Amino acid sequence: NIIIHQITYTMFKFFCLLVFAVSSNAFTPTLESTKAKTCTNSRCYSGIVAPSSPTQINAMLEQTELPQKLYFEKEKEFPKVLGGLKIGLRKLVVVTGASSGLGLNAAATLAKTGRHFVVMAVRDIEKAKKVAKKMDMPEGSYVVMKLELGSLQSVRDFVENLKAFKSARPLNNLICNAAVYRPTDPEPAWTDDGFEMSMGVNHFGHFLLVNLLLEDMMKAKEARVCIVGSITGNTNTVGGGLVYPQANLGKLQGFEKGAKQPIEMADGKPFFGAKAYKDSKVCNMMTVSELHNRYHEKTGIVFSSMYPGCIAETALFREKRPWFRKAFPWFMKYVTGGYVGEVEAGERLAQVVDDPKCSKSNIYWSWNGGAQTVGRYSADGKPRGAGGAGGEIFENTQSDAVRDKETTRKMWDLSVKAVGLSEKEMLKV
């Protein structure tokens, strides 16, 4: 027992050191990300060139990259029709972010059951078509549609096209999975509507999408909405409570001011990329709770969130430093026990909308301990109980901050205003 205690204590110290490294170094901008801010003109002050001649002004215009929109109305797809014939007797499910990682594997899992027809809602249509074939998704089991969550207009266009495709057939399941994570960005990027990118894509885009589809979904039998959560937004977990920075919406001062440029964070404070992601996940999980409180009893729609485990090799970490992307999967697999592969994670997400045991609303689903502790070593030599591979599904507990009813209602009301939902568009039950 003494030896086991010493090993456990050593592993915990190593974990703390890695946490410190991640919080202090992994989120620091790389040299390449700061080069663009280096002024090459002698007449520079605080990073701003003071032009004194037409030649200098022209040089500025040539060197400056103007913000590029994520979505143009000309990119709107021509509506696909006669979807009802393709769907047949299968359940219709929409999966956002279905061209890679968790979303792709969930879409493939659902399509291969034969019980679901999948709408892959993605930014890059051609990429999605290619990866669907690589995943051996059965022909006739899916369709790919354009959705840019960084544009509220694109969200509205997607909903319009989806309704044209499925005709009178109601939507059975909606999986809000797509997310962006930009921990190394020294300054915020912005969506087409002026939201900070992480909050705009992860929360506001999905918030509008869900609300625009509720009236249709209430016509389906046993409809389900799942918005993917994260341990990083729950301070009662190792990843959310010990790894700096913690999620914190404050008093939603940023939302109160409209949440649009130049507002950088939900709490109104200066931009911090890693925290922006965590805050958006808090909003995701709060949205599920408020959807349940407002609509479950009268519509029968099941609203849930889930944590799939740490998919350490997902493209979500593409903004991280190279050393981190190599070390993190190993650490999560052999030290903390939080690691789960993309295939298993996709199966978990699919289970939430497919398994009869997941028909309870307002649940935060997890597996294998839910990452509220560092993994405990088992007989097979691998840590168990930290939310990683294996284990059975169970109802997890969210942090007090996520379950704060007053903040949740305030977040909802301010989000309705931010995305421009009209009274006519809001579901009335």
Side-chain angles (χ1 to χ4, degrees), residues 68-73 75-77 96-97 120-125 145-159 161 178-180 182 190-193 195 197-198 200-202 204-206 208-209:
Q68 184 176 1
K69 286 190 68 174
L70 299 172
Y71 179 78
F72 295 89
E73 289 192 34
E75 296 178 343
K76 180 180 178 181
E77 285 186 284
T96 69
M120 301 174 69
V122 300
R123 298 177 63 187
D124 189 332
I125 293 177
M145 290 190 183
K146 175 77 174 182
L147 173 61
E148 171 53 73
L149 287 162
S151 164
L152 298 182
Q153 183 59 53
S154 177
V155 174
R156 293 180 181 278
D157 288 345
F158 169 80
V159 171
N161 287 344
V180 294
R182 307 171 69 94
W190 307 97
T191 68
D192 287 356
D193 303 281
F195 301 122
M197 189 66 72
S198 297
V201 171
N202 303 356
F204 286 123
H206 281 131
L208 177 62
L209 178 66

Side-chain angles (χ1 to χ4, degrees), residues 1-15 335 374-377:
N1 290 336
I2 295 176
I3 295 175
I4 294 175
H5 176 74
Q6 290 176 336
I7 293 174
T8 303
Y9 179 68
T10 302
M11 298 295 268
F12 181 74
K13 288 197 298 181
F14 179 68
F15 172 76
V335 179
V374 176
R376 300 177 296 278
Y377 270 78

Side-chain angles (χ1 to χ4, degrees), residues 199 203-204 252-259 266 283 411 414-415:
M199 187 63 73
H203 170 58
F204 286 123
L252 288 166
Q253 298 94 322
F255 276 30
E256 287 179 330
K257 296 177 182 178
C283 289
M411 180 281 302
L414 292 174
S415 295

Side-chain angles (χ1 to χ4, degrees), residues 140 207 277:
F207 185 87
Y277 172 81

